[in-house]
Amino acid sequence: MSQDTIFTKIINREIPADIVYEDDLALAFKDINPQAPVHLLIIPKQPIATTNDIQKSDREIVGHLFWVASEIAREQGFAENGYRTVMNCNEDGGQTVYHIHVHLLAGKPLGWPPYQERLKT
Ligand code: 5GP
């Protein structure tokens, strides 16, 4: 079960987004607050609140999100240089929108681990 979020409004074109890919199962658009030169969000059209809520029957759609990520990487020309895909879950994972999404980050060397700066303080 899932409540509608801002991502459902983007799917339904109730609020604008810079959409870069769409098919029957998924939508990809630019993150409003990019953390890298390329920062896209890939979401299922079917809302699933968190990765904890993924059911066995959702395996195809979740796998599809990562296929879309790799397809966009190829089309936009950064597949060879590389990129990062991230799914945040709940508060400790940094999730703020409760409709699962793959962050697709690229366009520069990305540091690892991503929380290194926070550990230094
Ligand atoms: P989370 O923190 O849940 O892993 O990621 C949510 C992402 O959604 C954030 O990176 C945030 O910048 C992005 N976001 C939140 N609201 C909007 C919006 O209205 N439009 C777009 N394009 N991105 C959004």
Side-chain angles (χ1 to χ4, degrees):
M1 198 182 81
S2 177
Q3 296 220 315
D4 281 357
T5 68
I6 197 139
F7 289 174
T8 297
K9 291 186 169 59
I10 289 174
I11 292 166
N12 294 334
R13 298 334 197 244
E14 290 164 15
I15 63 165
D18 199 339
I19 294 168
V20 299
Y21 178 91
E22 180 169 23
D23 63 24
D24 288 347
L25 296 176
L27 190 71
F29 50 91
K30 293 184 180 176
D31 195 293
I32 205 168
N33 182 24
Q35 302 300 311
V38 177
H39 187 173
L40 304 174
L41 300 172
I42 304 156
I43 68 172
K45 288 189 170 173
Q46 166 202 336
I48 300 169
T50 79
T51 54
N52 289 332
D53 301 300
I54 295 169
Q55 305 299 308
K56 201 170 181 182
S57 57
D58 297 323
R59 286 177 298 176
E60 183 182 348
I61 176 63
V62 176
H64 186 69
L65 300 179
F66 286 93
W67 176 81
V68 170
S70 67
E71 193 68 6
I72 291 172
R74 272 189 293 276
E75 281 177 6
Q76 295 199 4
F78 56 81
E80 290 307 315
N81 275 356
Y83 55 91
R84 179 169 296 156
T85 50
V86 179
M87 295 182 86
N88 297 326
C89 182
N90 280 338
E91 194 176 345
D92 279 3
Q95 186 173 8
T96 57
V97 179
Y98 284 77
H99 178 137
I100 61 165
H101 46 282
V102 175
H103 293 261
L104 173 57
L105 300 137
K108 68 172 186 180
L110 300 162
W112 189 264
Y115 47 82
Q116 195 168 25
E117 289 308 315
R118 214 181 301 166
L119 286 178
K120 280 182 189 164
T121 60

